[in-house]
Amino acid sequence: MTEAPLLQLNDVTITFDYAAGALHAVEDLTFHVNRGEVLGLVGESGSGKTLTGFSIMGALDDPGVVSAGEILFKGEDLTKMPPSRLRALRGSRLAMIMQDPMMTLNPTLTIGTQITEAILAHRKTTRDHARQLATEALEMVGIGQAQSRLSSYPHEYSGGMRQRVAIAIALLHEPDLIVADEPTTALDVTVQAQILIEVRRLVRSKGAALIWITHDLSVIAGLADRVAVMYAGRIVEQGPTREVLTNPRHPYTYGLLKSSPENEPLENGKLWQIAGSAPSIAQRPEGCVFRPRCAHASEACLSLPGESAGAHSYTCWHPRGSGSSDG
């Protein structure tokens, strides 16, 4: 019998209800992640990646709300869960690593206090043992003189060091699901590699699941088992990472890959880029959301394409490989 996914999103829509009307920031989002698996969630800024992460954690700011669909964690719908139950899960079984570490850290408390309190909130142990665990957590993310640095405040750490602390706090209780929102952007490549190795170890050894939100396809290529590509609040392509990155079917995915300097040489000293810009949620185009920027758009694209079947799926009337969208 096949085990159910650890996390399953079914037709999730995130709505912001303003006086001028309701705006759908994310629409009909469906994907899953299994135990021991890394899912890469990629796309340009404003595509809805971070909002998706916040919706899983039940941390959307007003007036944002999951207005449709369900978010199933171990079979329970997080959107219908009592606040007390959700609070018990956050930080222990569910963890999120923010892009900005100051969204995690309190500037008025020492780093040691914040880590030990996070430990004591979910684990029965002594404060001395919690402080020992806090030291080990800092050492794990590459912070030297960890024991003495527990007495420092966040402003006494560099931006990269604060990010490492935020990552350490997220990994404290070896959660079942980690949502990581571009957590290594501020880190140098050596520390980034160290963090990626540690996160991958946790996922593989403990059967945890990881959603890695990023715009960096090179990180996804070496980290993720599967990838979901988001554009303007919708998933336009998803599937096994190797298959999607070597055989992209949606023009947007192809454009992201072609605009990467690792994949495409410079022309006249300039990097290739996708024409135009992503639409705002208030001006999302009719039909295919990528239509205004697509060189292969046709009249058919005025209506929303369905999703293709199979492990590698996409939503496009003119997928690459069909004869009309190649190049």
Side-chain angles (χ1 to χ4, degrees):
M1 184 176 180
T2 304
E3 185 180 7
L6 180 70
L7 180 77
Q8 174 75 55
L9 275 68
N10 294 320
D11 299 319
V12 168
T13 294
I14 300 173
T15 301
F16 286 80
D17 197 358
Y18 298 107
L23 298 175
H24 300 317
V26 170
E27 291 185 312
D28 301 326
L29 204 65
T30 297
F31 66 81
H32 72 276
V33 59
N34 299 312
R35 291 183 179 275
E37 184 177 50
V38 179
L39 174 72
L41 195 60
V42 304
E44 293 171 287
S45 297
S47 60
K49 307 185 303 296
T50 298
L51 282 178
T52 299
F54 283 156
S55 71
I56 293 169
M57 299 299 296
L60 288 171
D61 289 330
D62 289 334
V65 65
V66 176
S67 57
E70 56 184 7
I71 302 174
L72 302 178
F73 175 68
K74 296 183 177 180
E76 291 186 80
D77 190 348
L78 295 174
T79 68
K80 294 180 172 59
M81 193 172 285
S84 58
R85 167 76 171 142
L86 191 56
R87 280 196 300 271
L89 288 177
R90 279 198 300 251
S92 58
R93 307 320 333 136
L94 297 171
M96 186 169 186
I97 307 171
M98 305 291 188
Q99 184 176 10
D100 179 1
M102 292 310 286
M103 293 181 68
T104 301
L105 302 175
N106 186 328
T108 67
L109 300 176
T110 66
I111 295 298
T113 296
Q114 296 186 60
I115 299 178
T116 54
E117 290 300 325
I119 293 170
L120 294 172
H122 297 283
R123 192 182 304 185
K124 292 183 179 180
T125 187
T126 65
R127 187 166 291 275
D128 285 343
H129 185 231
R131 192 170 180 84
Q132 178 186 338
L133 294 174
T135 302
E136 294 172 359
L138 292 187
E139 291 172 343
M140 182 269 292
V141 294
I143 293 180
Q145 301 179 321
Q147 187 168 6
S148 63
R149 295 309 301 268
L150 290 175
S151 301
S152 300
Y153 287 85
H155 73 270
E156 297 177 286
Y157 280 58
S158 67
M161 290 177 70
R162 287 196 294 266
Q163 187 60 285
R164 285 185 249 177
V165 173
I167 292 170
I169 291 173
L171 300 182
L172 278 175
H173 301 289
E174 298 187 338
D176 295 316
L177 175 68
I178 305 164
V179 179
D181 186 9
E182 304 203 48
T184 58
T185 301
L187 305 182
D188 62 62
V189 292
T190 302
V191 176
Q192 182 184 74
Q194 179 183 354
I195 297 300
L196 292 177
I197 289 171
E198 180 60 30
V199 169
R200 191 183 293 113
R201 180 203 65 79
L202 175 63
V203 170
R204 304 301 187 216
S205 65
K206 302 298 182 180
L210 171 65
I211 299 175
W212 194 274
I213 298 171
T214 185
H215 63 277
D216 191 339
L217 290 170
S218 63
V219 171
I220 290 300
L223 177 68
D225 301 295
R226 290 186 301 109
V227 60
V229 182
M230 286 192 73
Y231 180 76
R234 288 181 175 271
I235 288 181
V236 296
E237 184 166 5
Q238 61 179 313
T241 301
R242 182 177 178 84
E243 174 66 18
V244 172
L245 298 188
T246 59
N247 183 31
R249 304 304 306 277
H250 197 282
Y252 178 62
T253 309
Y254 175 74
L256 287 179
L257 289 165
K258 190 175 181 181
S259 61
S260 172
E262 291 90 352
N263 298 325
E264 191 74 12
L266 299 180
E267 294 183 7
N268 299 322
K270 295 182 178 180
L271 186 66
W272 188 91
Q273 62 182 3
I274 303 172
S277 58
S280 72
I281 60 174
Q283 297 176 322
R284 188 175 284 122
E286 179 184 0
C288 173
V289 289
F290 190 60
R291 173 176 54 82
R293 303 177 71 184
C294 183
H296 307 282
S298 69
E299 188 174 345
C301 303
L302 290 170
S303 58
L304 192 66
E307 185 176 28
S308 67
H312 181 183
S313 62
Y314 50 88
T315 57
C316 183
W317 290 111
H318 307 293
R320 294 187 71 254
S322 63
S324 61
S325 294
D326 289 349

